[in-house]
Amino acid sequence: MTLQQLRYITAIARCGSVSQAARELFIAQPSISKAISELEKELGKKLFERTPRGMLFTNEGVEFLTYARQILQQIEALEKRYEIGKEVTHYFTVSSQHFPFAAEAFSRITKSVTADCYELMFLEGETQTIIDNVRDLKSEIGILHMTAQNSMILTRILKEAHLQFEPLFETLPYICLSRQHPLAQKSVLNLNELSPYPFLTYQQNQNSIWSMAEIMLRPEPVSQRITIADRASAEYFMITSNAYAITTGDFGAALSHPGLIYLPLLGEGKITVGQIRNEHMMISKMALRFLEAIQDIIMENDILSESMTSF
């Protein structure tokens, strides 16, 4: 097996056909076909199904493609990292659900980097995308939550992806809403009180099961629902309407819009926020600094002590 064969496989997936891949790579189509045949013979598995419509990936081919992409990404990272005559570049990527404390922690480590050359990425997105990014080594760390409602299924999904979940902190669920909201003067809330108001949730892949949704809990019944894709939109809709969201803890004015308020939610258990990492990867110094920054933010806002409060 050679790196060239892996590059051919990923090129076919990217281009959609052998002929397109050959044009992109500036090589003859028979050379790619021969290399693929030799690889299949070596593996003893069919990676492609030859059909009148072209070559389609088999189940084994799809699995092989995942590993091939990971290997090539690591090779590319190595080449960048140890490029002769170039200044060392610091790389770090984290994927997260829409948590303001995660964005703040990332901002803090960005400010602490003294090197002139670095590439850092903070990706907020859907739960499945976070899992995929960490599994495929596009992100070193993922930040997501677990509750009693989703922990069993999420644990199974993470195990199948060879990812490990390590808790960072536990907290009560909180309701985020406008300071002008009719319920804003209350000290605590329950789901029944929220039923007349629009529930705000983040967009997920349409094929995702409910356990992958970023809603912390499933408030029922929900007759009014607003789905958004980013935190800026979430804040806007909550400030300008009676919509609410379920989130993790009250992180104070420094991490939230002054027009919003956070109230604890009664009788719905606890939320565990944690990191996911590839079980075969060692954690980097940059990742450790990011996790330490999260712990600093938790302590600064007394989230741990709040999480132990009994209502």
Side-chain angles (χ1 to χ4, degrees), residues 100-144:
F101 65 83
E104 171 64 16
F106 191 83
S107 175
R108 291 185 184 186
I109 66 165
T110 300
K111 294 174 184 176
S112 71
V113 176
T114 57
D116 293 330
C117 190
Y118 60 82
E119 289 186 21
L120 309 177
M121 293 183 67
F122 181 75
L123 307 173
E124 283 189 338
E126 302 172 0
T127 305
Q128 185 62 59
T129 301
I130 296 168
I131 293 172
D132 292 344
N133 284 348
V134 179
R135 181 198 63 200
D136 297 340
L137 308 181
K138 294 178 181 178
S139 291
E140 182 176 348
I141 284 179
I143 305 296
L144 48 74

Side-chain angles (χ1 to χ4, degrees), residues 97-100 103 122 124-125 176 200-203 214 226-241 243 245 255-258 260 262:
Q97 291 178 325
H98 299 80
F99 297 137
F122 181 75
E124 283 189 338
C176 180
L200 194 150
T201 185
Y202 286 103
Q203 181 182 20
E214 191 181 338
I226 299 174
T227 301
I228 43 80
D230 59 87
R231 280 191 291 123
S233 297
E235 288 185 350
Y236 176 81
F237 283 115
M238 285 187 287
I239 291 169
T240 59
S241 73
L255 299 184
S256 62
H257 193 283
L260 297 175
Y262 293 82

Side-chain angles (χ1 to χ4, degrees), residues 141-184:
I141 284 179
I143 305 296
L144 48 74
H145 82 283
M146 281 194 185
T147 65
Q149 291 86 348
N150 71 0
S151 61
M152 183 176 297
I153 294 178
L154 264 183
T155 298
R156 175 178 58 80
I157 292 172
L158 294 175
K159 183 177 180 180
E160 291 173 352
H162 302 289
L163 304 178
Q164 56 190 28
F165 178 86
E166 296 180 6
L168 294 172
F169 65 93
E170 186 180 70
T171 181
L172 294 168
Y174 274 67
I175 299 299
C176 180
L177 40 73
S178 168
R179 291 186 180 275
Q180 306 304 316
H181 195 284
L183 300 177

